[in-house]
Amino acid sequence: MKTKINEAIKQVLQQFGEKYFIGEVLNKNKVIQDLDTYDKDLLEALISNETLKSNFTIDIAGNIVMQTNKLIELFESDEYWQDSYTKYSKKIGLTSGGKFIDESTDVVLDFPYKDTVLKASMSKEDTDKDDLRPSEPFLNEIIAKEEIDVLLDQKLLINAKKYLADNTEETVSTFKGENLLIKGNNLLALHTIKNRFLNSFDVIYIDPPYNVTSSNNTFAYNNNFNHASWLTFMKNRLEIAKQLLKKENGALIVAIDENEVNYLGVLLNEMFDDYEIHLITVVHNPRGVQGTNFSYSNEFLYFVFPKGKKIIENRLLSPEEISLSNLRNWGGESERGDGKNTFFPILVNIQTETIIGFGDVCKDSEHPKQTEVVDGIAYVYPIDVKGVERKWRYARQTIDEIRDALHVEKKNSYRYEIMIGKNFGQYKTVWQSPKYDASVHGKQLLNKLVPNADFSFPKSVYAVYDALYAVIKNRKNAKVLDFFSGSGTTAHAVQMLNKTDGGNRKYVMIEQMPYIKTIQVHRLLAEHEDKLNDDFVYIELMEKNRGFLKTIQDAKTQAELHGVFDFMLNEAEIDFRVDLEKIKDTLHELSFEDQKKILIKIIDKNQLYYNYSEIDDENVRDLISDNDYKFNKNFYDEGGE
């Protein structure tokens, strides 16, 4: 693929014949020299091109000024690359007013890629490896501005199928608002579903890579600058996520640890300036992770939601947290005659010791015993141990409203007392419970549902459940999105919420790694007493150049790799900035692994997946089934649910 800028420059330079070319190879040094000396003819030709004028000039008091420095950067930046938007690729750090600290004494924290799109693959997704090590060569490539629209265009969807709750599956050609699993790069997938799910999600829960300082760090291409790349990675995804959240009451929840918690907080404050941002501590590993000075046993949750609204629901208290008192009134003005409609029986099932109902208000002539048992039901009245008839603290017409706060205490075989204790309260900023243990309720639970599941650090499903419950406890038709869905803990938590109250909440899960099929699908279909299984649709972004990446990685010999290269020259989309002749001449001088890195580097990462706009192209139409063709048309063109 060639961008408009590249084509425009080529057209302008070709007007000068052989002046700027050696054969068919561009003489970059000559172009740079003439730009540096403000060659009049070259500048006039460049300004006359509308594409270049709009990208490389500024208007100063009605005068058009060519930004020759930008054009020079385009040709100077790298031996193989000519990307006009990677001016920081070799110089990254603290800046002030766009200048680096060696050029200014006023320093502010800046991350240099924040105004670009970082097409980072979270965990070696684009090489299809199952491990999480950071050897992906193009992890931190920057996409030029002219290419962003192509990169973020809606992608073709293939292999559409519906998994049914009874563990069967069927092909589908329509999407009717079911639960949805999407396999593919999460940034591209988010933009793929943007129009369909704009302003739709009640909760977006994500557990992104933590960017830890170790050999397993996905972003550790340069330890001095990895915060910058991680922040850009997150910013690109949070920008589109914000558009998918419900504006009026949608909540973003982000799990993070101490490595990036502070940087993420600053980013969230910048991006969500009209939102409340709360940081919650979750004790998820009571045994602790040994460090040099401290043993870490906690991580964090950021809750982000619109300001000035009651978004967070009350939490259910555990039995030991509930403080009980007698529902029967005492003290002054507590006797039966002191209140109207307050002397009536409360019905208790003596087998389960639970309240099953309330009787009518007694007539003044009725004087029952404190507890009367009839056919397995205890009728309990507000009469104290001395036989004094008193009153309940709530009248008959209001008692149903606080039923969930009532508890039964059996004093002996002939006496029950009715106690009241609020079983709900505000969430605190420190969450600590054995059920948040990620080893027991994360790893062990996952292996129970999907035996031998190879997944390192699944969250405790109860920690995710409580985070979702805090927002959508009373939203039984809520939509939940997780675009780092991993082993499927978030979807599992949604299933649990629906089982608890019979809700119809729906989830959309996005994951780029193969375990979305090998683990997540099986987990969501697995039978478990705490979750309510439901149908879900599975789709994949249709791969294009991505297939070449795997072929390169799998090559075992020089001959095999060079065969792949030859095939790429005819069939692959090569990045337009590559000097192919130079690569052909020098590739054999590199080590086998470096040859692989170069071939991966030259593939156009904009073309990893097919765009939906290509669906009716003759060569593309032949690659997709009739069923997938119909599914795409329904998903994009018909919309609705």
Side-chain angles (χ1 to χ4, degrees):
M1 187 201 77
K2 296 185 177 181
T3 67
K4 292 180 182 178
I5 288 178
N6 183 63
E7 283 293 296
I9 291 175
K10 184 176 180 181
Q11 291 173 10
V12 169
L13 296 180
Q14 285 176 338
Q15 298 175 20
F16 295 91
E18 297 181 356
K19 181 177 181 180
Y20 295 115
F21 292 88
I22 302 174
E24 295 184 358
V25 179
L26 179 65
N27 186 346
K28 293 186 293 183
N29 291 332
K30 177 59 178 172
V31 178
I32 293 170
Q33 179 184 343
D34 285 355
L35 287 171
D36 200 39
T37 57
Y38 302 104
D39 182 89
K40 179 181 178 181
D41 293 335
L42 177 58
L43 294 183
E44 284 184 353
L46 292 169
I47 291 176
S48 66
N49 184 284
E50 287 301 320
T51 297
L52 301 180
K53 181 179 178 181
S54 63
N55 283 278
F56 295 99
T57 66
I58 56 175
D59 189 310
I60 301 178
N63 299 303
I64 303 300
V65 178
M66 174 65 71
Q67 295 174 292
T68 55
N69 61 315
K70 274 191 168 184
L71 284 165
I72 290 172
E73 287 170 359
L74 185 149
F75 296 100
E76 271 186 338
S77 61
D78 192 271
E79 183 178 8
Y80 291 138
W81 302 91
Q82 301 168 11
D83 184 353
S84 59
Y85 299 97
T86 56
K87 65 179 179 178
Y88 293 118
S89 61
K90 296 179 181 178
K91 191 173 185 181
I92 302 173
L94 297 175
T95 70
S96 176
K99 296 183 178 181
F100 287 91
I101 56 176
D102 59 353
E103 303 167 358
S104 172
T105 57
D106 299 319
V107 179
V108 297
L109 181 63
D110 192 9
F111 56 103
Y113 303 128
K114 67 179 179 179
D115 295 321
T116 64
V117 171
L118 187 62
K119 198 287 179 186
S121 297
M122 191 263 292
S123 304
K124 291 178 64 66
E125 171 261 344
D126 289 317
T127 53
D128 230 359
K129 296 294 182 181
D130 291 332
D131 64 87
L132 303 178
R133 290 186 295 262
S135 60
E136 183 176 296
F138 55 89
L139 178 64
N140 295 296
E141 290 189 10
I142 298 97
I143 303 301
K145 292 180 180 179
E146 282 292 315
E147 301 173 334
I148 291 175
D149 288 343
V150 176
L151 172 71
L152 303 182
D153 199 7
Q154 296 168 329
K155 304 305 176 190
L156 268 175
L157 307 171
I158 60 170
N159 297 331
K161 64 179 65 176
K162 179 186 286 189
Y163 289 90
L164 306 179
D166 62 5
N167 229 324
T168 60
E169 60 184 75
E170 60 185 33
T171 57
V172 289
S173 58
T174 59
F175 177 69
K176 301 177 181 178
E178 300 97 334
N179 298 307
L180 183 61
L181 268 62
I182 305 174
K183 183 179 186 298
N185 178 279
N186 59 4
L187 177 62
L188 309 187
L190 285 171
H191 283 273
T192 288
I193 67 171
K194 174 182 175 180
N195 291 340
R196 184 84 192 211
F197 290 102
L198 196 66
N199 190 31
S200 292
F201 290 103
D202 296 81
V203 177
I204 297 179
Y205 177 100
I206 56 173
D207 180 21
Y210 282 1
N211 199 23
V212 297
T213 306
S214 76
S215 60
N216 290 327
N217 183 4
T218 305
F219 292 90
Y221 78 106
N222 185 325
N223 284 333
N224 293 321
F225 312 130
N226 63 355
H227 292 303
S229 61
W230 187 88
L231 283 169
T232 304
F233 174 86
M234 291 299 297
K235 179 177 181 288
N236 297 152
R237 286 149 180 80
L238 290 175
E239 284 173 332
I240 178 63
K242 185 178 181 181
Q243 298 178 53
L244 299 177
L245 267 181
K246 285 185 175 179
K247 291 182 175 61
E248 65 277 11
N249 60 0
L252 169 70
I253 306 173
V254 186
I256 201 68
D257 74 354
E258 71 280 358
N259 291 285
E260 292 292 351
V261 63
N262 296 321
Y263 291 88
L264 177 61
V266 173
L267 179 63
L268 291 173
N269 276 306
E270 177 180 317
M271 296 182 65
F272 293 85
D273 55 338
D274 292 329
Y275 288 67
E276 292 185 29
I277 301 175
H278 299 271
L279 184 61
I280 308 302
T281 296
V282 182
V283 179
H284 72 300
N285 185 356
R287 292 163 298 281
V289 177
Q290 189 63 45
T292 303
N293 295 299
F294 294 96
S295 178
Y296 280 92
S297 61
N298 69 291
E299 57 185 11
F300 305 93
L301 287 176
Y302 273 111
F303 278 77
V304 184
F305 47 82
K307 286 182 179 178
K309 296 184 178 182
K310 174 62 175 172
I311 301 295
I312 303 302
E313 302 282 356
N314 288 319
R315 71 183 180 97
L316 287 176
L317 302 181
S318 61
E320 56 270 18
E321 292 179 288
I322 300 173
S323 178
L324 297 178
S325 62
N326 206 304
L327 181 66
R328 184 183 65 247
N329 220 333
W330 63 90
E333 298 184 353
S334 65
E335 295 188 11
R336 177 175 179 174
D338 293 326
K340 188 176 181 180
N341 301 327
T342 56
F343 192 86
F344 55 88
I346 295 178
L347 283 58
V348 175
N349 184 316
I350 63 174
Q351 296 296 323
T352 60
E353 296 184 358
T354 57
I355 294 171
I356 59 174
F358 306 95
D360 296 330
V361 175
C362 295
K363 297 177 181 179
D364 291 343
S365 59
E366 293 182 83
H367 300 283
K369 295 179 181 179
Q370 192 273 341
T371 299
E372 295 183 348
V373 178
V374 179
D375 296 330
I377 298 175
Y379 293 75
V380 183
Y381 295 87
I383 301 174
D384 67 19
V385 292
K386 295 180 179 180
V388 178
E389 293 181 345
R390 298 192 181 274
K391 64 186 181 72
W392 297 124
R393 290 153 64 180
Y394 288 81
R396 178 63 185 86
Q397 63 267 28
T398 59
I399 191 73
D400 281 295
E401 297 175 7
I402 53 94
R403 180 170 180 166
D404 290 342
L406 300 182
H407 306 265
V408 177
E409 280 192 5
K410 184 178 181 181
K411 295 300 184 179
N412 51 48
S413 60
Y414 58 86
R415 185 180 183 89
Y416 289 88
E417 293 283 5
I418 306 301
M419 313 298 287
I420 184 170
K422 188 172 67 173
N423 63 348
F424 60 89
Q426 273 195 315
Y427 280 88
K428 297 180 180 179
T429 55
V430 177
W431 295 8
Q432 188 167 6
S433 169
K435 66 182 182 179
Y436 299 148
D437 190 329
S439 175
V440 177
H441 301 294
K443 183 68 172 176
Q444 291 179 31
L445 175 61
L446 177 60
N447 278 294
K448 178 181 178 181
L449 298 173
V450 187
N452 302 314
D454 185 17
F455 195 89
S456 300
F457 303 108
K459 281 277 187 294
S460 163
V461 71
Y462 296 104
V464 180
Y465 175 97
D466 282 358
L468 298 180
Y469 183 90
V471 179
I472 57 174
K473 166 188 175 183
N474 294 317
R475 305 187 204 180
K476 293 190 177 182
N477 294 304
K479 288 187 176 67
V480 178
L481 169 65
D482 183 350
F483 51 90
F484 292 99
S485 63
S487 68
T489 305
T490 303
H492 183 168
V494 173
Q495 291 179 324
M496 290 174 61
L497 280 165
N498 288 336
K499 180 67 175 287
T500 300
D501 60 11
N504 189 38
R505 302 171 185 87
K506 298 297 182 184
Y507 55 78
V508 175
M509 301 289 109
I510 300 173
E511 177 54 58
Q512 53 198 16
M513 295 295 285
Y515 43 68
I516 190 173
K517 290 193 71 174
T518 60
I519 296 178
Q520 189 171 154
V521 166
H522 297 290
R523 176 179 191 165
L524 299 182
L525 293 172
E527 294 293 333
H528 193 266
E529 63 272 15
D530 289 337
K531 67 189 189 81
L532 180 65
N533 291 4
D534 198 0
D535 303 345
F536 59 86
V537 171
Y538 171 90
I539 54 176
E540 299 176 356
L541 304 189
M542 184 179 177
E543 297 178 356
K544 193 174 186 180
N545 268 348
R546 190 173 179 274
F548 286 104
L549 298 174
K550 187 175 188 304
T551 305
I552 293 169
Q553 286 288 353
D554 291 344
K556 305 299 183 186
T557 64
Q558 294 273 5
E560 187 178 350
L561 187 62
H562 288 188
V564 173
F565 183 34
D566 291 340
F567 187 58
M568 285 171 55
L569 293 176
N570 294 319
E571 300 295 334
E573 298 284 351
I574 305 297
D575 195 295
F576 72 94
R577 297 161 292 189
V578 175
D579 186 343
L580 276 176
E581 294 303 317
K582 188 170 186 64
I583 290 179
K584 289 178 184 178
D585 293 340
T586 61
L587 189 64
H588 66 280
E589 300 173 0
L590 304 175
S591 69
F592 185 55
E593 287 304 315
D594 284 343
Q595 288 182 34
K596 285 189 174 184
K597 291 179 181 179
I598 287 296
L599 295 190
I600 287 176
K601 188 175 184 181
I602 70 174
I603 288 177
D604 187 351
K605 307 311 181 303
N606 249 1
Q607 302 292 309
L608 293 177
Y609 301 95
Y610 284 95
N611 286 347
Y612 172 62
S613 59
E614 303 174 81
I615 190 170
D616 289 314
D617 292 354
E618 184 177 350
N619 61 321
V620 178
R621 180 65 184 89
D622 292 338
L623 298 176
I624 63 175
S625 68
D626 291 340
N627 185 76
D628 284 336
Y629 182 87
K630 293 176 182 177
F631 186 91
N632 279 271
K633 289 294 184 180
N634 172 264
F635 190 87
Y636 291 121
D637 297 344
E638 297 178 23
E641 295 183 7

